[in-house]
Amino acid sequence: GEDFQVTAGTDFAEATYQWTAPDVVELSCFDCPNPIISSSTPGTYVITVSLNAPDCPSSDQFTLTVLQQPAPEFDVAEDTAICAGESIDLGSNNNSNNLNYTWTSVPVGFTSDLPNPNVQPDSTTQYFVSVTNGICPSPSTDSVLVEVSTPPVFEILGDTTICEGDTLLMGLSEPEMGVTYRWSGPSTADFEDANALNTLATPRTSGTYTLTATRGACVETQTVSINVIEIGLAFAEEMDTLRVC
């Protein structure tokens, strides 16, 4: 009942893979380089993969042994992305305390024997778990990739009052690599480039203007309040026509 992933090689642009296996062995795909394989029928099976490439076909095979003893049942978190300072549970609250868990990591430094450890990595980390149930002699394994991003750091214009038609420099920082920026406000037409940190803007309407900066799972926002004073000339009705000597 356990499933696992095998990797035959690279996903070449001009080559195709072909996997063959007995009917009792299930593959998630038959023409990819890394299918997920599972079987609920005890026995020993030969699985073959062929790589069909121009002028250089090749093939290989391995033997899969499915034991009669039941594999331990447990869940792990999906691969995920977080912002630095956030934490994530690696397992599940439904995981049994009667199983034996061995967690490790790459980069090294993390170990745990809990069914659902909580981690707060400061850099991208792959976590591995090996689980035994005291019945099946072969441990079951799985992994969780946690990608960690650092929050964007930036500065924008402070609250200000302008005359209608004035142009402002909205951002005051050097743009960071890997960060996307988006300005929004009463009218996006006010921005010379709404996707640039240090864009010029000619606000036509008073209101709050917001910059959203995103890097991976990190989203930071800052706002600036801009008061626009309308400028206009109006003569009193009796002054529409003037006579002078």
Side-chain angles (χ1 to χ4, degrees):
E2 183 180 3
D3 57 30
F4 63 97
Q5 189 172 42
V6 293
T7 300
T10 305
D11 192 3
F12 298 105
E14 298 183 0
T16 58
Y17 288 88
Q18 182 61 48
W19 293 83
T20 56
D23 292 340
V24 295
V25 177
E26 299 178 4
L27 281 75
S28 62
C29 55
F30 290 90
D31 57 357
C32 63
N34 51 353
I36 296 175
I37 298 177
S38 64
S39 178
S40 299
T41 305
T44 300
Y45 311 103
V46 175
I47 299 173
T48 302
V49 59
S50 299
L51 176 62
N52 302 309
D55 302 323
C56 52
S58 62
S59 64
D60 203 351
Q61 64 183 29
F62 68 91
T63 300
L64 171 67
T65 300
V66 181
L67 304 176
Q68 291 185 351
Q69 297 90 336
E73 296 183 3
F74 63 98
D75 295 315
V76 299
E78 297 289 338
D79 293 346
T80 190
I82 64 172
C83 195
E86 296 178 344
S87 63
I88 180 177
D89 291 337
L90 296 177
S92 167
N93 289 329
N94 295 324
N95 285 346
S96 173
N97 291 317
N98 296 323
L99 301 178
N100 300 308
Y101 303 87
T102 302
W103 291 89
T104 57
S105 67
V106 174
V108 297
F110 173 79
T111 60
S112 176
D113 59 0
L114 298 176
N116 186 25
N118 182 272
V119 294
Q120 189 181 56
D122 54 14
S123 62
T124 296
T125 304
Q126 182 102 30
Y127 296 92
F128 300 88
V129 63
S130 176
V131 183
T132 59
N133 58 6
I135 301 174
C136 183
S138 177
S140 297
T141 61
D142 210 334
S143 67
V144 181
L145 176 64
V146 181
E147 296 185 75
V148 181
S149 300
T150 56
V153 178
F154 57 94
E155 183 181 357
I156 65 173
L157 179 73
D159 294 347
T160 189
T161 297
I162 63 172
C163 293
E164 184 179 15
D166 285 352
T167 296
L168 297 171
L169 178 64
M170 301 297 287
L172 303 175
S173 300
E174 187 73 21
E176 293 183 289
M177 292 291 294
V179 178
T180 59
Y181 301 94
R182 182 66 182 175
W183 282 98
S184 60
S187 173
T188 55
D190 296 329
F191 303 107
E192 184 178 271
D193 182 358
N195 295 314
L197 167 59
N198 298 319
T199 186
L200 295 175
T202 308
R204 295 171 293 182
T205 307
S206 297
T208 299
Y209 292 76
T210 302
L211 176 63
T212 302
T214 304
R215 175 162 47 207
C218 300
V219 179
E220 296 288 328
T221 62
Q222 290 189 28
T223 61
V224 53
S225 178
I226 300 177
N227 181 37
V228 180
I229 299 176
E230 296 183 5
I231 298 177
L233 295 175
F235 292 103
E237 184 176 345
E238 60 272 16
M239 295 181 63
D240 284 350
T241 302
L242 296 178
R243 292 183 176 87
V244 296
C245 294

